[in-house]
Amino acid sequence: MNEKNALLIESAFKEYYFNRFDLIHVPQRAAEREFGYQKFNSGMTRHLVVKNDKELHLMLMKEVPSDVYCSNAYYMFPNLPMSEKDWKGADMIFDIDAKDLALPCRKDHTIFKCSSCNNSATEFQSQCPKCGSGKFETASVICKNCISESKKEVTKLVDILTTDLNVQKEQIETYFSGNEGFHIRVTNADYEPLGSQERADLVDYIMFNGAIPESFGIRRQNNSKSLLPTFEEKGWRGRVARKLFSSKSKVPKVTREIIASGYSAFQVQLEEIKKTMGVRVDPKVTMDIHRIFRLEGSINSKSGLSKIQCTNLDSFDPFLEACLLGDDNVEIMVDCPLQIRLKNKKFGPYKSEIVSLPKYAAVYMLCKGLGNAI
Amino acid sequence: MLKIGVKDLAKYPFLTEAGEYLRNTGLSLEQLGHPDWQPIVEKAYGRIVVASSGQIYGSDLETLDNDSELLSFLVAIILLKSAGIATLIRRFSLAESRRAERYLQQDLWVSRDKKNLELPLKIIRDLFAVNVSIDNEDFVIKVPDYLHRAIHFHEKEWKLVNRRVANGLVYLSAHETVRLIRAELGEYIHEKIQSVNVDSVPQIFRQRVEDLVTLAKKFSDTTYVSSEYPPCVKHGIEVLEKGENLPHSGRFLLATYLLSKGQTVDQIAPLFKNAPDYNERTTRYQLDHISGSSGSGTKYQCPSCEKLRSESLCFAIPDCDGIINPVQFGKKRKNQ
Ligand code: SF4
Ligand SMILES: [Zn+2]
Ligand SMILES: [Zn+2]
């Protein structure tokens, strides 16, 4: 990122970190966790210990990081190198990101920016119409649909966690990721000691990966004796039954159809169910038991929005509630072919023009690579 | 209080209570050295021989009521410790755990109606810290307890998604419950034997100890593990040595890899001996097939790292960097 842009963003972040102590806290058992941060145009600093809010605030004001992270793992010695940390356990974490959901709306809010001449377009082209270069960077700007689809995934996840896995509602914290999705953290002593492979299998459960027809009573041979799951069953068997039969009165008819179509047809049906009912989380995040994960309350430098907790997911509007930078105006150069909406105000489209924008909107443009400080 | 009788100890001679029972009978090692006890020594020796051949020593249920079952187990340990041969101890632990597994499964079944599951459940709880409870027809354990163990099995039906799960619990049959703790049972018995100290052995044991040393020579040619093997291959060999089940894809990896390293079917076949479903003829038939010496004559190639990764059989380490097939492991690349 160019130096001028970094300076502008940094000063906006600094103001936030200075003024909003009320929003920025260390998670519970902070002293057992590893912290890390990144500064603009420099590498990652890891293996830090931050024991309490006061130390955290001090670090934020001194360093003004672009991004701040904290481990979901608990260690005996969080500040030692990885091999000597002595892993004790980890919260379960889930990352739901709109970009992984393959939504049709994605193409409507993705901007392609030519890497050599900076010309931007809203449509994918194999070559830049201005300079002929074939290299593009993409930026995805805010989209309500992406957020509401991500929320649906969160709801599915919370349902499985609470009904199948016996996690209590109070043990689940849902956060807006600060960009295009949600982070979920589960603190539950039973699941805390699970290693990476165990978590991988748990994620497959949540995503409905690897289900075989036999588990739902469909066998390769002797299918006439098949025992399909029933409506009332718990877990995936019940979920699959409710999906297949849709209503109790249809059970006999659908059962006959399923048995008649056979094993491979049922396998295809399971694949379909996975697509619609499996929760689309990023498995790598949940499996990684040494990850440092974005710290709640901190700002995401991909957007300038904050990672904040959603107490009421349904009504949560990230473009209002997570947009927390100052609103005094700054002049910047913007090239954004789409209109965006932040804090209920519309901005753009702008065609490479100098405009005066509230700081939160200006920073958003810079973070997305759609503008430059002047 | 749960009463553990001699019949229970005959089934589960590795329980701590076995030691107490023995102490109460006032029997000492010296006394066991008396020629009167020779039949027990013979029984103990037989128990080891059976185990070393990969079979499970079967007690007839009648003898479960007398001390000879328990005593022969204890004497077997003394013989094994005096001979001091690791392979024999491992094979014995494995066979004994399979034997106990049978009883455990039976006890879980038989006791269902009598609502007298205390002993098998206590064994599972005390030895492996797993709480098993009953829900109607099923045994249930907590999801995390399940995951810890099930991830070592590679068959699809052990994936959590293919289990009945509700309220944080996994539902299992008696057979599955016991299957889940098999590896730990073997380990437990193994550790138990390791922890026994034997300083002096009665005269009448000596001959059998020497026989064990001779017996062990037969197995010395079956050690295959080389530090040169890639982690995926080592893992497969370990799984088999523990007597765990290796899925077909894992066996295929071992066979193709070792064949590509110039080993013969004869050298490879014994590797599969400990597999729970071992059958010498089918194993040979399959190996011949893979090596191309039968059937179509096609020689099968070792699967790629990517394929293995997708089957959760890859355990990559930094030395695996830059290779796409296990056979490349350890070969220095020319332009380096
Ligand atoms: S990277 Fe290849 S060689 Fe290494 S463990 Fe994985 S599969 Fe085996
Ligand atoms: Zn261009
Ligand atoms: Zn969208």
Side-chain angles (χ1 to χ4, degrees):
Chain A
M1 178 177 289
N2 86 40
E3 200 58 32
K4 264 188 177 166
N5 291 356
L7 277 175
L8 197 161
I9 301 173
E10 212 168 59
S11 82
F13 281 19
K14 187 169 192 165
E15 197 177 282
Y16 170 81
Y17 285 133
F18 196 87
N19 291 331
R20 299 309 303 264
F21 280 174
D22 58 320
L23 293 174
I24 310 162
H25 304 288
V26 293
Q28 45 108 357
R29 294 170 66 185
E32 297 166 70
R33 298 179 192 259
E34 175 198 357
F35 285 73
Y37 63 80
Q38 218 162 354
K39 291 179 70 148
F40 288 99
N41 300 325
S42 80
M44 177 85 82
T45 310
R46 286 190 71 160
H47 314 299
L48 303 173
V49 176
V50 177
K51 288 197 212 65
N52 48 42
D53 287 356
K54 216 172 140 198
E55 285 184 26
L56 175 65
H57 298 156
L58 216 66
M59 177 190 94
L60 293 174
M61 296 198 348
K62 196 164 142 250
E63 305 294 339
V64 197
S66 66
D67 298 275
V68 190
Y69 305 94
C70 171
S71 69
N72 59 319
Y74 305 109
Y75 301 103
M76 206 65 182
F77 311 106
N79 55 338
L80 294 185
M82 200 48 88
S83 56
E84 296 158 38
K85 275 185 167 33
D86 205 349
W87 189 89
K88 292 197 283 190
D91 302 332
M92 271 202 289
I93 50 173
F94 301 95
D95 181 16
I96 290 167
D97 197 317
K99 78 170 183 316
D100 301 331
L101 304 183
L103 299 169
C105 63
R106 296 296 290 176
K107 63 175 183 353
D108 302 334
H109 52 86
T110 300
I111 298 171
F112 298 87
K113 226 169 163 50
C114 170
S115 304
S116 35
C117 76
N118 262 337
N119 178 49
S120 56
T122 52
E123 217 79 2
F124 174 77
Q125 283 145 326
S126 55
Q127 273 196 336
C128 170
K130 257 195 176 167
C131 75
S133 156
K135 265 189 146 180
F136 297 90
E137 273 162 41
T138 58
S140 163
V141 294
I142 57 173
C143 166
K144 278 207 162 136
N145 187 55
C146 278
I147 295 300
S148 65
E149 290 299 314
S150 304
K151 281 182 183 176
K152 285 184 194 158
E153 300 300 312
V154 175
T155 310
K156 289 190 312 197
L157 173 63
V158 171
D159 172 55
I160 292 181
L161 287 172
T162 50
T163 59
D164 296 15
L165 302 176
N166 198 33
V167 172
Q168 306 305 305
K169 277 235 154 65
E170 312 78 67
Q171 296 169 331
I172 305 173
E173 289 158 36
T174 305
Y175 297 91
F176 170 60
S177 71
N179 193 23
E180 295 196 294
F182 293 90
H183 290 171
I184 287 88
R185 175 166 62 206
V186 173
T187 31
N188 176 303
D190 280 345
Y191 292 93
E192 204 178 284
L194 292 184
S196 178
Q197 288 207 299
E198 286 92 336
R199 286 172 201 238
D201 196 40
L202 197 68
V203 158
D204 279 340
Y205 183 85
I206 287 164
M207 299 179 83
F208 200 58
N209 263 343
I212 52 173
E214 284 85 349
S215 316
F216 301 88
I218 299 292
R219 288 172 296 185
R220 279 183 201 274
Q221 274 119 24
N222 253 342
N223 244 336
S224 56
K225 294 205 198 82
S226 292
L227 251 181
L228 291 167
T230 61
F231 243 71
E232 299 76 19
E233 272 185 70
K234 300 250 174 76
W236 275 114
R237 284 176 56 89
R239 240 174 251 121
V240 167
R242 291 187 290 275
K243 176 77 179 179
L244 291 173
F245 302 132
S246 66
S247 86
K248 273 196 185 161
S249 59
K250 291 198 186 135
V251 172
K253 183 170 166 279
V254 177
T255 304
R256 257 178 278 125
E257 284 168 9
I258 290 174
I259 291 173
S261 331
Y263 188 89
S264 0
F266 192 74
Q267 227 162 5
V268 174
Q269 267 184 309
L270 288 181
E271 269 308 300
E272 279 310 307
I273 290 175
K274 172 185 151 184
K275 278 184 206 143
T276 54
M277 298 176 75
V279 186
R280 283 168 288 177
V281 297
D282 180 346
K284 292 196 296 307
V285 172
T286 310
M287 281 169 64
D288 187 350
I289 55 169
H290 297 110
R291 177 172 290 254
I292 48 176
F293 203 41
R294 192 172 296 286
L295 179 73
E296 50 268 35
S298 71
I299 313 169
N300 188 327
S301 76
K302 287 183 201 143
S303 64
L305 303 174
S306 294
K307 170 169 173 177
I308 57 164
Q309 190 162 7
C310 319
T311 32
N312 185 340
L313 185 68
D314 287 335
S315 67
F316 178 77
D317 177 0
F319 310 118
L320 184 66
E321 294 168 54
C323 190
L324 296 162
L325 297 180
D327 49 15
D328 41 329
N329 278 16
V330 279
E331 279 200 337
I332 60 164
M333 217 282 294
V334 194
D335 183 19
C336 175
L338 294 172
Q339 187 180 69
I340 62 157
R341 210 186 158 94
L342 283 169
K343 278 196 165 175
N344 285 331
K345 283 200 190 75
K346 288 177 189 148
F347 302 97
Y350 303 114
K351 186 86 198 129
S352 294
E353 50 197 291
I354 292 179
V355 281
S356 176
L357 295 177
K359 216 177 252 167
Y360 59 82
V363 168
Y364 185 85
M365 295 297 181
L366 298 189
C367 288
K368 289 283 174 187
L370 301 170
N372 275 310
I374 46 172
Chain B
M1 247 307 268
L2 181 61
K3 260 201 77 177
I4 298 179
V6 60
K7 196 164 180 164
D8 298 321
L9 292 177
K11 293 188 214 163
Y12 311 114
F14 47 84
L15 292 179
T16 327
E17 284 82 357
E20 271 160 49
Y21 177 84
L22 206 62
R23 236 164 284 136
N24 290 340
T25 61
L27 205 60
S28 69
L29 187 57
E30 261 157 54
Q31 283 168 306
L32 279 173
H34 192 275
D36 282 357
W37 293 101
Q38 187 69 37
I40 296 289
V41 180
E42 291 314 307
K43 199 175 164 105
Y45 178 73
R47 215 162 161 156
I48 301 170
V49 172
V50 169
S52 68
S53 71
Q55 259 143 6
I56 302 171
Y57 163 76
S59 318
D60 61 52
L61 282 166
E62 256 113 78
T63 59
L64 284 183
D65 270 326
N66 70 48
D67 293 347
S68 69
E69 284 297 304
L70 172 58
L71 287 175
S72 64
F73 177 81
L74 298 173
V75 171
I77 292 181
I78 296 169
L79 294 177
L80 282 166
K81 288 297 281 196
S82 326
I85 295 155
T87 340
L88 280 186
I89 296 183
R90 216 181 44 231
R91 280 172 187 255
F92 180 76
S93 315
L94 184 70
E96 285 294 328
S97 75
R98 288 295 167 77
R99 173 179 176 273
E101 190 181 316
R102 280 186 185 173
Y103 287 122
L104 216 43
Q105 194 178 323
Q106 257 171 32
D107 280 353
L108 286 175
W109 258 113
V110 175
S111 322
R112 291 300 290 285
D113 310 321
K114 290 190 253 152
K115 297 272 170 243
N116 185 15
L117 288 159
E118 244 180 304
L119 179 64
L121 294 188
K122 177 188 151 64
I123 291 176
I124 296 174
R125 188 178 57 238
D126 290 0
L127 267 44
F128 314 115
V130 185
N131 256 316
V132 180
S133 42
I134 319 286
D135 183 6
N136 282 318
E137 290 289 287
D138 301 292
F139 295 93
V140 291
I141 74 170
K142 279 187 174 181
V143 169
D145 285 337
Y146 175 83
L147 288 173
H148 272 312
R149 295 163 178 87
I151 52 159
H152 300 296
F153 308 151
H154 297 278
E155 296 91 344
K156 280 215 156 166
E157 60 262 34
W158 287 97
K159 281 185 80 61
L160 189 62
V161 74
N162 291 312
R163 291 280 137 193
R164 277 168 52 216
V165 178
N167 304 324
L169 300 170
V170 182
Y171 289 71
L172 301 167
S173 68
H175 172 71
E176 289 163 341
T177 308
V178 174
R179 177 70 186 88
L180 206 56
I181 55 155
R182 169 186 290 173
E184 284 157 290
L185 191 56
E187 211 109 288
Y188 180 84
I189 295 175
H190 191 245
E191 267 168 36
K192 202 89 197 209
I193 298 176
Q194 294 293 13
S195 70
V196 171
N197 273 323
V198 182
D199 0 87
S200 72
V201 197
Q203 194 58 42
I204 65 160
F205 289 18
R206 295 264 158 85
Q207 183 54 45
R208 284 317 191 186
V209 171
E210 270 164 43
D211 292 344
L212 286 183
V213 177
T214 321
L215 180 69
K217 294 217 173 87
K218 267 183 29 200
F219 301 113
S220 51
D221 57 336
T222 51
T223 340
Y224 271 94
V225 187
S226 149
S227 57
E228 311 281 285
Y229 293 162
C232 47
V233 171
K234 277 194 198 150
H235 166 263
I237 294 175
E238 271 164 35
V239 169
L240 286 175
E241 284 195 333
K242 276 193 238 151
E244 282 294 338
N245 197 12
L246 189 65
H248 177 74
S249 45
R251 297 180 196 201
F252 184 76
L253 160 70
L254 289 189
T256 49
Y257 178 85
L258 294 171
L259 286 165
S260 82
K261 294 284 154 189
Q263 296 208 19
T264 62
V265 169
D266 285 333
Q267 286 171 306
I268 300 171
L271 201 58
F272 298 95
K273 251 197 177 134
N274 283 339
D277 52 0
Y278 177 72
N279 174 316
E280 181 159 2
R281 270 187 52 211
T282 22
T283 304
R284 288 203 155 264
Y285 172 79
Q286 285 165 348
L287 285 173
D288 283 339
H289 183 72
I290 292 170
S291 71
S293 58
S294 76
S296 63
T298 355
K299 189 174 172 188
Y300 286 86
Q301 298 300 319
C302 185
S304 68
C305 294
E306 196 185 322
K307 179 96 204 302
L308 292 163
R309 215 169 297 134
S310 74
E311 291 165 333
S312 331
L313 287 167
C314 165
F315 299 85
I317 54 171
D319 282 348
C320 294
D321 283 356
I323 62 170
I324 56 167
N325 190 296
V327 297
Q328 298 169 310
F329 185 84
K331 280 189 195 155
K332 281 223 176 74
R333 267 172 294 156
K334 281 191 193 114
N335 40 7
Q336 253 183 357

